[in-house]
Amino acid sequence: MLNSDDLRLFLAVMREGNMLAAARRAGIDHSTVARRINALETVLAARLFDRSPRGVTPTPAAFALVPHAERVESELLAAAASVAGRDRDVEGVVRLATPEAFAAYFAAPHVGALRDAHGRLTLELASESRAASLSKREADIAVMLKPPPRGRLVARKLTDYRLGLYASRDYVARHGLPESRADLSRHAFVSYIEELAGFPEMMALDQIVSGAPIAFRASSSAAQQSAVAAGLGLGVLHLFAADADDRLVRLLPGEAEVWRSYWLVIHADLQRLPRVRAVVDWLDTVAHAMCERL
């Protein structure tokens, strides 16, 4: 007979890619994982993984089992959430994966309100330039620059925001203010390293000026803002971060401007958990409070 604990171990192996990492995640030893996967294969009368000195490789039977195992996992999580929501306050750990600028200027400054409301809830904020894999449980909630194309995910728009063109006050004093887009071609620019940008939407400079000469590239939006503030060149920056920086001057407002959206994404299995709902509600509140700065 199938055992739900064995199915969850199977999912851990699939998500981690090897039995050793799955064992660490489950807090048990490697031999126990191997033994229970063997037992699961015996019950199913099917080989789930090909073993080799390099690790394990899922078989077609393993991929066929995944959606069924995830449904079992989902029901167990929903059952736990149903009981927990009635008998105790929101508590536990929620990992939120977001782009760097969102983490630094949008989420982190307001996390005190979440802590005040839910003192036994711990937020882990992972700021990354790539999209976190919710299906592999790299995060519980993700804020992305576009909705995911597929998977057992629930996505909705969190808020729109704007990017604008900025220079440092010192740069403007030395080179003057551009009066139109036509003037921009004589200036140097700061931008992303294109191959390290996790979303094409991060590359906004070409929408303002095509073929701009680049003086500096960085994978970090904070590093770009620092470089612009140091007078290295012009840069397309988040309004909610750059407008509060006294070192910067916004250029061609309304004309040199790009609109983007943040999307809130949750794995379908987790959306009913009280701790996840608490973080989602907090993000909605922060987005509403910041709407004038976005």
Side-chain angles (χ1 to χ4, degrees):
M1 182 175 179
L2 287 176
N3 181 300
S4 61
D5 287 338
D6 290 346
L7 288 175
R8 296 178 80 172
L9 269 184
F10 159 74
L11 287 175
V13 176
M14 290 293 289
R15 290 163 180 163
E16 297 293 341
N18 62 78
M19 291 190 185
L20 186 59
R24 286 197 296 266
R25 179 172 179 169
I28 58 179
D29 60 79
H30 172 268
S31 61
T32 299
V33 175
R35 176 173 53 79
R36 288 171 62 177
I37 292 297
N38 288 339
L40 181 59
E41 290 178 323
T42 300
V43 169
L44 294 171
R47 189 177 72 259
L48 298 174
F49 298 99
D50 290 325
R51 282 77 163 173
S52 75
R54 293 188 299 275
V56 296
T57 302
T59 66
F63 288 109
L65 180 60
V66 166
H68 303 287
E70 286 186 333
R71 279 195 290 274
V72 172
E73 181 185 51
S74 177
E75 288 302 316
L76 291 172
L77 288 169
S82 177
V83 173
R86 286 175 168 80
D87 294 342
R88 66 175 186 266
D89 295 334
V90 172
E91 62 180 334
V93 178
V94 174
R95 179 171 295 173
L96 170 63
T98 78
E100 180 192 23
F102 185 101
Y105 299 100
F106 194 107
H110 298 92
V111 75
L114 178 65
R115 184 68 178 176
D116 289 343
H118 306 289
R120 291 190 289 180
L121 176 65
T122 299
L123 181 69
E124 293 183 348
L125 185 57
S127 56
E128 304 183 9
S129 60
R130 66 176 181 87
S133 174
L134 299 185
S135 63
K136 294 181 179 179
R137 297 298 196 267
E138 293 178 347
D140 302 304
I141 307 170
V143 173
M144 301 181 179
L145 299 185
K146 62 180 179 181
R150 61 187 179 276
R152 300 188 66 246
L153 305 173
V154 178
R156 64 172 171 84
K157 186 186 290 187
L158 178 63
T159 185
D160 294 320
Y161 68 96
R162 290 171 294 161
L163 302 163
L165 187 63
Y166 291 84
S168 71
R169 297 184 185 279
D170 177 65
Y171 184 94
V172 169
R174 288 184 287 115
H175 299 281
L177 280 170
E179 297 182 0
S180 68
R181 288 198 184 197
D183 293 340
L184 297 178
S185 60
R186 62 184 180 85
H187 293 275
F189 284 82
V190 167
S191 187
Y192 279 100
I193 303 172
E194 186 168 0
E195 58 267 30
L196 297 183
F199 295 93
E201 289 78 7
M202 296 169 71
M203 306 300 297
L205 180 58
D206 281 349
Q207 290 185 240
I208 293 175
V209 54
S210 181
I214 306 299
F216 175 76
R217 290 187 174 91
S219 60
S220 161
S221 59
Q224 291 178 54
Q225 183 163 322
S226 293
V228 173
L232 196 58
L234 312 185
V236 179
L237 306 174
H238 299 78
L239 264 65
F240 60 76
D243 273 356
D245 193 331
D246 291 338
R247 301 170 297 174
L248 300 175
V249 176
R250 190 174 174 196
L251 309 176
L252 305 176
E255 182 180 356
E257 183 174 285
V258 176
W259 284 84
R260 291 285 188 262
S261 299
Y262 284 127
W263 289 80
L264 185 64
V265 186
I266 313 168
H267 196 284
D269 294 346
L270 304 181
Q271 61 178 324
R272 290 178 287 178
L273 291 178
R275 65 180 184 272
V276 171
R277 293 307 316 165
V279 174
V280 169
D281 291 343
W282 166 71
L283 286 170
D284 284 333
T285 300
V286 173
H288 178 74
M290 288 190 62
C291 62
E292 293 185 0
R293 291 179 53 193
L294 299 174

